[in-house]
Structures are given as C-alpha cells and as structure tokens.
Amino acid sequence: MSESTDLIDYYRETHARRVYGTSSVKYVRYLRPWIRLLAPRSILDYGCGQSLFIDMLNLGPAVALHRYDPAIPAFATLPPEPADLLVNIDVLEHIPEVSLDPVLNEMRTAARNAILVIDTVPAKHTLPDGRNAHVNVKSPEWWRQKLTSVFGPVEPIQTRRKTRAAFKTWPTTPAEQRAYRRMRLAEDAAYYARRLVGRHKSSWKVSSVKPRTTSS
C-alpha cells in the first residue's frame, strides 16, 4: 500500500469520528474578494474536508459549487467538467513530496484557475506512525517554484497568517488590485462587526451533507 493511500485511509477514519478539516472558513474574508473579481461560474473546493468554505462565500445561485475530498466518501468523486476556479486550502502540506506531482496535475486539469493556500510550518499533532501531520513542509519560495512548474506563473496573495504561502494562478491588473483593497476593507469591517456581537463563528461540520451542485 502506498504512503498516500495510507494517509487517505487515516484521514478517512479521522473524518468519520470527529470534526476535522474545517479551518478554511477562516480565509473567507481574504479570498472572497479575489473570487468575486474573477467571477467564476463554478468552483471546486479540492480537499474540502468538512468545511463550509464555498457555502460561506455567498456567491449566489448562479455559481455551481463542487466539493472533492478522497477521504470523505460523499465527496470522493471529481466533477466531470473542469471548474472555472479551484480552491485548495491547507491541503498540500499533508501530501508527501513523492506524491505531489500527480495531485497538482490533477488540480490543473480539474479547473481553469486556482487559489492555493499552504501551511509552511510543522503541525501541532502527529500521525500514528510518529511523523508530523504536515509531511511536506517547504518554504514559500519552494512552493512558488513548484506551482509555477505546473500552473505557469502564480501570484502571491495575502492570507490570515504569515506561516501560510498563498497563490493565485491568474494575473492581476492595477485596477483589480485597487478593487481588491477596497473589498478587503469592507470584508474586515463586516468581520469585526460580527465579532462584536459574537457572530463570527459558525458550525463547520458538513460530513453528513450529500454532494451537491448549485446552478442557475
């Protein structure tokens, strides 16, 4: 049995018994402006875990939402057609380097554009075999070069923590940079207003939700 298969089995068991893989919702206010500027008609959350990330984007019924995670049986099948946008958040550091190229090539085939967020430091917990859960810890520059070799030129983007390396695979115009900054200010204002009334957190577990596609 391959190392990657062993890890998928481990995460399948983990998802089946507890809430896990929900952290991507914390990136909504950082990534939603880029996504709205791109205006995709379909989004694939690749390695979605139990997260509500794509639901929390609130992009409206005209945007088709797809989830994929090989460790969750309900989401273990990729959609048949490429999505306009793939999002991949806090996943790649869990994939052994020897297995990384096939995964990245699958992502490139599965969508026309991508946003990728990667943790660059060790995790706080270990796997049953004693390894750190982040089996592929690399520097932001290493990830930039690796992603460029698969997707072509990538642009670094801001995330909520300095320990994350984040990139998008499409270019940005100066006007879009200005629009992004305005939209981020609005996102932050709304986020901190919700914090004041204790409404900034949600229930993140969606393991019982069946795969669905929302379209116009």
Side-chain angles (χ1 to χ4, degrees), residues 41-82:
R41 297 299 301 271
S42 57
I43 299 178
L44 169 62
D45 190 347
Y46 186 107
C48 60
Q50 299 173 22
S51 178
L52 288 169
F53 175 81
I54 53 174
D55 297 290
M56 292 180 68
L57 292 172
N58 294 323
L59 298 176
V63 182
L65 306 179
H66 305 280
R67 289 182 172 88
Y68 173 71
D69 196 308
I72 299 180
F75 305 137
T77 302
L78 283 166
E81 299 295 331

Side-chain angles (χ1 to χ4, degrees), residues 28 42 50 80 103 105 165 170 173 176:
V28 168
S42 57
Q50 299 173 22
V103 173
N105 284 318
W170 68 94
T173 67
E176 288 171 333

Side-chain angles (χ1 to χ4, degrees), residues 59-99:
L59 298 176
V63 182
L65 306 179
H66 305 280
R67 289 182 172 88
Y68 173 71
D69 196 308
I72 299 180
F75 305 137
T77 302
L78 283 166
E81 299 295 331
D84 286 340
L85 175 66
L86 176 149
V87 293
N88 180 252
I89 302 174
D90 289 351
V91 172
L92 292 178
E93 65 272 15
H94 293 274
I95 299 173
E97 186 175 352
V98 295
S99 305

Side-chain angles (χ1 to χ4, degrees), residues 37-204:
L37 286 168
L38 181 66
R41 297 299 301 271
S42 57
I43 299 178
L44 169 62
D45 190 347
Y46 186 107
C48 60
Q50 299 173 22
S51 178
L52 288 169
F53 175 81
I54 53 174
D55 297 290
M56 292 180 68
L57 292 172
N58 294 323
L59 298 176
V63 182
L65 306 179
H66 305 280
R67 289 182 172 88
Y68 173 71
D69 196 308
I72 299 180
F75 305 137
T77 302
L78 283 166
E81 299 295 331
D84 286 340
L85 175 66
L86 176 149
V87 293
N88 180 252
I89 302 174
D90 289 351
V91 172
L92 292 178
E93 65 272 15
H94 293 274
I95 299 173
E97 186 175 352
V98 295
S99 305
L100 190 59
D101 282 345
V103 173
L104 292 176
N105 284 318
E106 183 175 68
M107 289 183 184
R108 181 177 54 82
T109 302
R112 299 173 184 87
N113 303 282
I115 290 176
L116 306 110
V117 181
I118 310 147
D119 203 340
T120 62
V121 298
K124 294 180 180 179
H125 64 281
T126 57
L127 299 171
D129 62 7
R131 286 180 299 165
N132 189 271
H134 291 172
V135 297
N136 193 12
V137 175
K138 304 292 185 183
S139 70
E141 183 55 32
W142 188 94
W143 282 112
R144 182 173 186 169
Q145 293 180 19
K146 186 66 174 178
L147 297 178
T148 295
S149 72
V150 176
F151 294 96
V154 297
E155 288 190 1
I157 57 176
Q158 183 183 10
T159 65
R160 58 185 292 269
R161 290 182 179 175
K162 293 181 180 179
T163 58
R164 263 56 169 188
F167 306 92
K168 64 183 184 71
T169 62
W170 68 94
T172 307
T173 67
E176 288 171 333
Q177 289 281 2
R178 292 191 293 271
Y180 174 82
R181 289 193 289 270
R182 291 193 299 270
M183 295 166 77
R184 267 301 315 283
L185 287 173
E187 289 279 353
D188 286 348
Y191 171 78
Y192 287 110
R194 290 194 300 272
R195 283 185 67 95
L196 288 174
V197 295
R199 296 179 60 189
H200 61 294
K201 294 183 178 180
S202 301
S203 176
W204 298 343

